[in-house]
């Protein structure tokens, strides 16, 4: 059984009379011991999907349709109190800016001890011992549990928030742009740490990033989002080697290859659409070089084009990406 299964999720934000369709009918799952990368441009709905799973949307945001099963249990149906019990214990989150995740006037160790005491019903002494072990595991000196957040570097804070995410032994960790604010060397170390802990604890990980190289090197499967829609999902190898969706193809082409031969970078004309009034039909059609009449009229079905490779494009598998129409 999947650790996480999302079905037809729609999450909207309400701005006066307007409604922003930030996430629109997305469906995917994540198995135990699997890293699922969710990628796409800023504003495509990745973080809204994460906040929907955690049920930590801002006041003007709401899940308006769909289901989110965590270990078979639909979190959309949970009360706020039930959700409070589930957070950290079943699902935890590693935020982009770790400084914001910790209270600046409390010692980091105490904040993690508190989570552990509440979620695991253990006494302070036991929780402190366990937090020291966790610090050791994430590469921090155990005695640094007495430090305040400002005494840690960016990389150390990210390690500490990973320790906090593990504190209540969750089944799923959501890592929302976990290394974006760090330099490349520290990024590699943090991602390596995340991968080794994921293997050790058989965690399901939802790795959210705008950086395709992070997804390519760290995910088992990948989902590509565009304008609130999931446009392609498959194994990382398949999606990168044999993209089916024009947006995926263009997005991958827009990133320089570190290892492969030099090539001209692709660019995607235009800008992402306004999600208050998204384009009719395929949301990518105003920017798609291969769009045809039907693309403007009908929403492409999200379908399994080949085994475990899903796509939402009327012409999946028929387009010659070398030739723009
Ligand atoms: Fe392009 Fe049409 Fe496919 Fe959308 S459905 S990606 S517009 S070809």
């Amino acid at each position: 059984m999947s650790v996480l299964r999302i079905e037809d999720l729609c999450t909207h934000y309400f701005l006066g009379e307007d409604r922003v369709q930030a996430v629109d009918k997305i469906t995917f799952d994540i198995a135990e011991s699997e890293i699922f990368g969710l990628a796409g441009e800023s504003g495509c709905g990745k973080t809204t999907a994460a906040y929907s799973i955690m049920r930590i949307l801002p006041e003007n945001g709401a899940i308006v349709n769909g289901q989110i099963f965590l270990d078979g249990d639909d979190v959309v149906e949970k009360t706020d109190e039930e959700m409070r019990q589930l957070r950290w214990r079943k699902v935890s989150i590693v935020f982009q800016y770790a400084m914001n995740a910790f209270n600046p006037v409390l010692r980091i160790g105490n904040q993690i001890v508190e989570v552990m005491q509440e979620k695991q019903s253990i006494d302070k002494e036991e929780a402190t011992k366990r937090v020291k072990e966790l610090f050791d595991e994430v590469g921090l000196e155990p005695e640094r549990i007495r430090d305040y957040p400002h005494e840690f570097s960016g990389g150390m804070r990210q390690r500490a928030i990973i320790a906090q995410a593990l504190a209540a032994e969750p089944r799923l960790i959501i890592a929302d742009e976990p290394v974006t604010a760090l330099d490349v060397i520290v990024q590699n170390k943090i991602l390596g740490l995340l991968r080794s802990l994921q293997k050790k604890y058989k965690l399901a990980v939802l790795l959210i990033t705008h950086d395709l190289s992070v997804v390519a090197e760290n995910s088992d499967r990948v989902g590509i989002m565009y304008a609130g829609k999931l446009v392609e999902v498959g194994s990382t190898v398949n999606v990168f080697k044999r993209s089916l969706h024009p947006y995926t193809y263009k997005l991958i082409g827009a990133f320089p290859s570190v290892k492969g031969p030099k090539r001209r970078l692709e660019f995607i004309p235009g800008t992402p659409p306004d999600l208050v009034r998204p384009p009719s039909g395929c949301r990518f059609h105003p920017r798609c070089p291969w769009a045809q009449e039907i693309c403007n009229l009908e929403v492409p079905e999200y379908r399994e084009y080949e085994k475990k490779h899903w796509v939402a494009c009327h012409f999946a598998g028929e387009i010659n990406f070398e030739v723009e129409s």
Side-chain angles (χ1 to χ4, degrees), residues 292-310:
Q292 299 191 32
E293 202 179 339
I294 189 176
C295 304
N296 164 28
L297 302 172
E298 289 181 24
V299 177
E301 184 193 356
Y302 178 67
R303 62 197 161 104
E304 192 171 15
Y305 174 80
E306 55 194 14
K307 200 166 168 33
K308 297 188 176 173
H309 195 163
W310 296 73

Side-chain angles (χ1 to χ4, degrees), residues 5-11 23-28 63-67 302:
R5 168 129 194 100
I6 292 185
E7 286 178 10
D8 281 337
L9 178 70
C10 297
T11 303
V23 166
D24 193 62
K25 285 196 170 181
I26 66 169
T27 294
F28 67 94
I63 296 170
V64 295
N65 188 50
Q67 292 160 308
Y302 178 67

